[in-house]
Amino acid sequence: MTPEHQNTRAHLLTEQVNVNSANLDRLSTLELVDLFNREDVHTINAIAGARAELAIAIDTIADSLRQGGRLFYIGAGTSGRLGVLDAAECPPTFCTPPELVQGILAGGVGALIKSSEGLEDIASDGAQAMSDNQIGQHDVVVGITAGGTTPYVHGAIECAKQRGAKTIFIACVPANQVASIADIDIRLPVGAEILSGSTRLKSGTVTKMALNILSTGTMVKLGKVYGNRMVDVAVTNTKLLDRALQIVQDLTQLDREAASELLTASNRSVKVALLMHWQQIDRVQAEAILAKNYGQLRVAADNL
């Protein structure tokens, strides 16, 4: 950051005044909704502009997780909360252990529901979070900061690199406004917010889109998906049981009752149930085949 910008953030893209919403408080309710809709188009374009970096990030994360590493999102405020949200969705969607994908938020659990944005200014706290979680060479740390300047995130990225981890930086400002030392630099410039400086809006939306792509893409690479079905779904409630049964029915052509019996026999594992049916084998045999193929149903099925 240049000397003239050290004490101000006015130059940042995320802090600019949006000329399209200059009369926001005079719009009709319908006009307000239409304005949001038009402005949100910028999120799609920003994702398209970062497609190459997102793809590299997915391959990097998948490779690290295959080697026993973990994925960490770290941020403050909205950015940190979005990381926690994405991490929390991985276990039910992909049956991953909770430690595989984790979200770290400045201020901890309490900051999920009560603002503690002042904590984002302490770089050493971000570094301490890396030490506390014993970040190592097989881990990946994704620093998320809409405006790109959050000291907490930069402190975490610097410490993670020193500890040998792969690092990814996500920001909604161009690199010439705020630099990063991360291995992979993902920039998602969505322009000035409708409400000036409120980065929970377009910046938050595009960040959630990027995290959706990173986590889902990674899990696809790790074999957690067959076709476009979440065959590693954790059957932990009625909704997920129904989803699991639908997948089994669709991919086996069994009726509901037979699919339910098969899923029960598989110990509620969709992947095991499918192999049992396709090969007419028992659960132990199906589990052994999956283990031999590193849990990847597609590879296991193609090798049979």
Side-chain angles (χ1 to χ4, degrees):
M1 187 178 295
T2 57
E4 64 269 24
H5 291 149
Q6 287 179 353
N7 298 315
T8 177
R9 303 177 75 253
H11 67 291
L12 297 176
L13 181 61
T14 51
E15 297 296 320
Q16 301 303 301
V17 175
N18 191 328
V19 296
N20 296 324
S21 61
N23 62 341
L24 185 64
D25 60 343
R26 295 183 177 181
L27 298 180
S28 71
T29 307
L30 186 57
E31 288 172 333
L32 186 150
V33 172
D34 288 343
L35 176 60
F36 267 93
N37 186 227
R38 290 194 300 272
E39 287 291 316
D40 279 341
V41 170
H42 294 298
T43 65
I44 302 296
N45 295 334
I47 291 293
R51 56 189 290 275
E53 291 81 4
L54 287 166
I56 293 169
I58 289 170
D59 287 335
T60 297
I61 297 168
D63 183 59
S64 294
L65 298 191
R66 288 190 195 100
Q67 298 180 58
R70 301 163 295 169
L71 170 62
F72 288 86
Y73 298 125
I74 186 164
T78 297
S79 295
R81 294 181 190 104
L82 289 170
V84 171
L85 174 62
D86 196 74
E89 293 289 352
C90 287
T93 307
F94 302 110
C95 207
T96 57
E99 63 272 13
L100 187 68
V101 183
Q102 300 182 46
I104 302 174
L105 172 62
V109 175
L112 283 170
I113 57 175
K114 185 177 181 180
S115 176
S116 60
E117 266 69 1
L119 295 174
E120 71 181 51
D121 294 333
I122 307 173
S124 60
D125 282 0
Q128 187 62 50
M130 299 296 93
S131 297
D132 291 344
N133 285 277
Q134 299 181 324
I135 299 301
Q137 62 178 341
H138 296 308
D139 295 325
V140 180
V141 175
V142 181
I144 312 168
T145 164
T149 63
T150 307
Y152 181 81
V153 171
H154 285 279
I157 291 290
E158 183 176 352
C159 182
K161 283 184 70 70
Q162 291 172 352
R163 297 175 69 93
K166 297 292 186 183
T167 54
I168 300 170
F169 187 72
I170 297 179
C172 298
V173 295
N176 64 0
Q177 291 189 348
V178 181
S180 170
I181 62 171
D183 299 306
I184 302 170
D185 197 351
I186 299 174
R187 302 296 173 136
L188 304 169
V190 291
E193 298 287 1
I194 288 175
L195 182 62
S196 299
S198 184
T199 52
R200 69 185 182 88
L201 301 178
K202 285 187 297 185
S203 296
T205 299
V206 78
T207 296
K208 183 62 170 70
M209 293 167 68
L211 298 185
N212 285 347
I213 292 169
L214 290 183
S215 58
T216 305
T218 296
M219 296 305 164
V220 169
K221 295 292 182 179
L222 294 179
K224 297 286 187 178
V225 174
Y226 184 87
N228 62 356
R229 310 303 180 91
M230 54 172 75
V231 290
D232 248 342
V233 61
V235 184
T236 55
N237 61 24
T238 302
K239 178 189 74 174
L240 296 176
L241 173 59
D242 179 66
R243 183 173 299 160
L245 286 171
Q246 288 184 55
I247 294 171
V248 172
Q249 284 185 266
D250 289 347
L251 296 179
T252 64
Q253 301 303 304
L254 293 173
D255 61 28
R256 185 79 168 185
E257 182 178 354
S260 180
E261 291 175 358
L262 178 61
L263 190 62
T264 298
S266 71
N267 197 23
R268 288 193 164 189
S269 168
V270 172
K271 291 197 295 189
V272 171
L274 292 171
L275 272 183
M276 288 172 63
H277 176 78
W278 291 339
Q279 292 300 306
Q280 292 300 295
I281 55 180
D282 62 26
R283 177 174 61 83
V284 174
Q285 292 172 304
E287 289 174 343
I289 292 172
L290 275 173
K292 182 180 178 182
N293 290 280
Y294 306 100
Q296 297 201 26
L297 180 60
R298 174 70 68 183
V299 176
D302 289 348
N303 289 338
L304 292 173

